[in-house]
Amino acid sequence: MQNVKSIDGVSLPAALEVSGLGHHFGRRQVLSDISFSIAPGIFTVLLGLNGAGKTTLFSLISHLYDTRQGTIRVFGHDISRAPGEALRRLGIVFQARTLDLDLSVYQNLSYHASLHGIGHKLALERISSLLAQVDMRERLTDKARSLSGGQMRRIEIVRALLHRPPLLLLDEPTVGLDIQSRAEIVATIRALVARDGISVFWATHLIDEVEDGDNVVVLDKGRVLAQGGVSDVVRSAGSDNIRRAFASLTGFTPSSPEGAGL
């Protein structure tokens, strides 16, 4: 297991460690020998075109699918052997919208808090604090259906953070949002990493959501093609920026239909 050193010198397990992971749908193999690790307090981008296997990988990490080949550990806890310990350290924002549109923002959030055993008073305190951080406190009593796509996404992020997980997974969180909403969501998550030291695993097919200081895992057709810091991935691909490195690694170009997201 890969370890990192904390500020006080204590050795800590990786926030997420995936080793030898594979997955099939019937006879079709969608993930093959996936291995990588994420250090605590890092913004890591899972970069891959549509159909690369990003959502399948997230479904395995979040235990929606059983892991039958390979291992997944969240802060040292095996998702198959100790799913409760692993999952309580995860916050998850799925690609599809998952708010109950007929409930208010508060009702959506308080219900989720109760599932994690958070008492009413503490839940209200956390909901109020987190909504203020994403500039949504004034929408507390509004029905979810009255929110814009970007506002719904911010509420889903708040919901994922209510139980204070040290690792946050986000599967294509900006899909379908306008440019301003996309920028606001990315900025919100990056602020969490900088302010609270949370670990983030952000799946996207959009190159412009990657910054130079990020860690990157490049996934294509169910295989990891490269991983490491952006500069390391760019250098190993013999390119001068992450856009060209990604195109070189995957064989797609911005002008091709498959590479439209580049």
Side-chain angles (χ1 to χ4, degrees):
M1 180 183 300
Q2 178 179 352
N3 291 325
V4 296
K5 294 290 184 179
S6 68
I7 295 175
D8 59 7
V10 177
S11 184
L12 298 174
L16 176 65
E17 183 183 26
V18 176
S19 179
L21 188 66
H23 194 73
H24 294 76
F25 289 130
R27 296 183 178 181
R28 182 169 63 93
Q29 186 161 5
V30 292
L31 295 177
S32 179
D33 196 26
I34 303 295
S35 297
F36 63 89
S37 64
I38 296 174
I42 298 296
F43 190 103
T44 299
V45 180
L46 177 64
L47 185 60
L49 296 171
N50 293 332
K54 301 189 298 296
T55 295
T56 300
L57 176 57
F58 269 46
S59 295
L60 289 163
I61 296 171
S62 58
H63 207 44
L64 292 177
Y65 298 160
D66 288 333
T67 305
R68 299 182 179 179
Q69 180 182 344
T71 59
I72 300 170
R73 293 185 178 91
V74 180
F75 285 94
H77 297 280
D78 191 305
I79 196 73
S80 295
R81 297 180 179 180
E85 291 297 323
L87 291 174
R88 70 170 49 103
R89 289 166 172 79
L90 283 180
I92 306 167
V93 178
F94 295 103
Q95 182 174 339
R97 300 288 188 267
T98 55
L99 296 179
D100 188 324
L101 299 181
D102 293 321
L103 298 181
S104 69
V105 168
Y106 173 73
Q107 289 171 326
N108 270 281
L109 296 176
S110 62
Y111 175 72
H112 185 78
S114 68
L115 293 178
H116 283 276
I118 303 172
H120 175 75
K121 181 179 179 181
L122 180 57
L124 185 57
E125 291 174 357
R126 290 187 183 179
I127 289 170
S128 179
S129 175
L130 287 167
L131 286 177
Q133 290 179 35
V134 299
D135 196 26
M136 289 289 290
R137 184 157 27 180
E138 75 281 0
R139 306 303 296 268
L140 182 67
T141 60
D142 293 352
K143 290 286 182 71
R145 67 170 65 256
S146 71
L147 306 177
S148 68
Q151 290 170 334
M152 286 187 187
R153 193 54 98 196
R154 280 187 271 172
I155 297 304
E156 289 173 332
I157 292 169
V158 167
R159 183 179 60 186
L161 294 171
L162 281 174
H163 62 293
R164 294 186 173 174
L167 173 60
L168 183 62
L169 307 182
L170 302 102
D171 186 9
E172 296 273 8
T174 62
V175 165
L177 301 183
D178 58 48
I179 294 176
Q180 180 177 346
S181 295
R182 280 182 55 207
E184 289 172 351
I185 295 300
V186 174
T188 295
I189 299 303
R190 291 190 178 280
L192 283 171
V193 176
R195 183 181 64 243
D196 301 331
I198 193 170
S199 310
V200 168
F201 196 32
W202 174 287
T204 187
H205 65 279
L206 301 170
I207 291 287
D208 62 1
E209 292 181 355
V210 182
E211 293 188 357
D212 288 343
D214 293 341
N215 197 51
V216 178
V217 178
V218 177
L219 187 68
D220 185 60
K221 298 176 182 176
R223 295 179 180 273
V224 171
L225 302 185
Q227 60 179 299
V230 169
S231 60
D232 296 327
V233 171
V234 169
R235 183 168 53 252
S236 66
S239 301
D240 57 359
N241 60 54
I242 189 63
R243 185 181 301 271
R244 289 176 180 169
F246 183 70
S248 174
L249 287 165
T250 61
F252 293 123
T253 63
S255 60
S256 69
E258 298 92 340
L262 296 175

